[in-house]
Amino acid sequence: MADVLNSEGDVEKIVRDAFDKAQKYQDGADFPITLEASWMESPVGPLLMAGDADCLHLLSFIDQSNMVRKAALIQKKLKARIELGSNNSIDMARKELEEYFAGERRDFHAPLALNGTAFQTKVWEALMQVPFGETVSYADLANRIGKPAAFRAVAQANAQNPINIIVPSHRILNTDGGSGGQTAAVDGKRWLLEFERGVVAKVPAHGG
């Protein structure tokens, strides 16, 4: 799982420092939009969320080892300046995630901005059709989108998924049944599958 973070202050420092450093790499760049970023605690570690008032653009595991790179990629890809804060899309995603971890929700309705190529978006939309607690292989998903020879491209698109959990990249496995994807997220991905299959306990929602 992601590196252990000892307090909310640790999370804030990691997020703030990452976006500050990433911003310096992009000095002079034109950022036509601004997104707000926040985080929440979860059984798979802190989760980073970023979005505008209308849509969620990012839901990611917070990992100290790759946050600066991830923040720079987000800003470059979205041409967006990131500021710490919250808004309607983040608040809705947070509420639905709390319900998901409490075992009270299987489907998400938070509006999403799937920022990718046409092929990547097709893969991510197909991922959202994989039912709760079930899995498919990269080859299966390639067949589902009508591109049976493109399983490697499907794996690459899955690795670039900007909205984890809601776009359930944890439900796609290698042909040997193992979890692929970014190293920092592999344990979290395995936990999510076990959670959906009832192997690990639910987490009470706030106020529940």
Side-chain angles (χ1 to χ4, degrees):
M1 254 191 240
D3 293 346
V4 174
L5 302 170
N6 296 322
S7 70
E8 185 172 313
D10 291 336
V11 180
E12 179 174 3
K13 185 176 187 305
I14 288 171
V15 174
R16 189 181 299 278
D17 288 353
F19 283 109
D20 284 348
K21 289 176 182 177
Q23 192 74 55
K24 291 176 183 177
Y25 297 155
Q26 311 271 345
D27 278 350
D30 181 25
F31 292 104
I33 65 172
T34 298
L35 301 180
E36 291 183 292
S38 186
W39 62 88
M40 65 177 286
E41 297 295 336
S42 85
V44 289
L47 299 172
L48 174 67
M49 299 174 284
D52 55 30
D54 298 317
C55 294
L56 190 73
H57 290 246
L58 176 78
L59 174 60
S60 177
F61 300 98
I62 291 181
D63 172 32
Q64 191 168 2
S65 67
N66 70 358
M67 271 302 300
V68 175
R69 176 179 175 274
K70 184 172 289 186
L73 288 173
I74 293 165
Q75 293 184 141
K76 182 177 180 180
K77 186 173 185 178
L78 301 180
K79 294 183 171 62
R81 188 176 303 278
I82 311 293
E83 298 178 352
L84 295 185
S86 194
N87 53 41
N88 290 340
S89 67
I90 291 175
D91 291 343
M92 183 174 181
R94 186 193 309 275
K95 180 177 183 296
E96 291 191 345
L97 286 163
E98 288 175 350
E99 293 169 351
Y100 166 82
F101 287 119
E104 300 168 359
R105 173 177 294 277
R106 294 190 171 196
D107 300 305
F108 294 90
H109 303 292
L112 308 178
L114 297 176
N115 299 289
T117 65
F119 180 82
Q120 288 173 331
T121 301
K122 194 170 186 179
V123 171
W124 299 335
E125 289 173 344
L127 269 174
M128 289 190 284
Q129 301 305 311
V130 180
F132 180 96
E134 297 184 17
T135 60
V136 296
S137 69
Y138 294 112
D140 292 334
L141 205 62
N143 282 320
R144 292 189 184 195
I145 64 172
K147 302 283 186 180
F151 58 91
R152 289 187 179 87
V154 166
Q156 291 172 354
N158 186 58
Q160 296 298 316
N161 172 21
I163 304 178
N164 288 282
I165 304 176
I166 295 177
V167 179
S169 55
H170 57 282
R171 296 178 193 158
I172 187 168
L173 302 176
N174 297 325
T175 52
D176 63 2
S179 297
Q182 299 173 5
T183 302
V186 170
D187 285 347
K189 186 174 180 178
R190 187 179 300 114
W191 188 96
L192 290 167
L193 278 177
E194 292 179 349
F195 167 73
E196 291 185 356
R197 292 168 173 169
V199 177
V200 296
K202 302 169 185 176
V203 180
H206 290 178

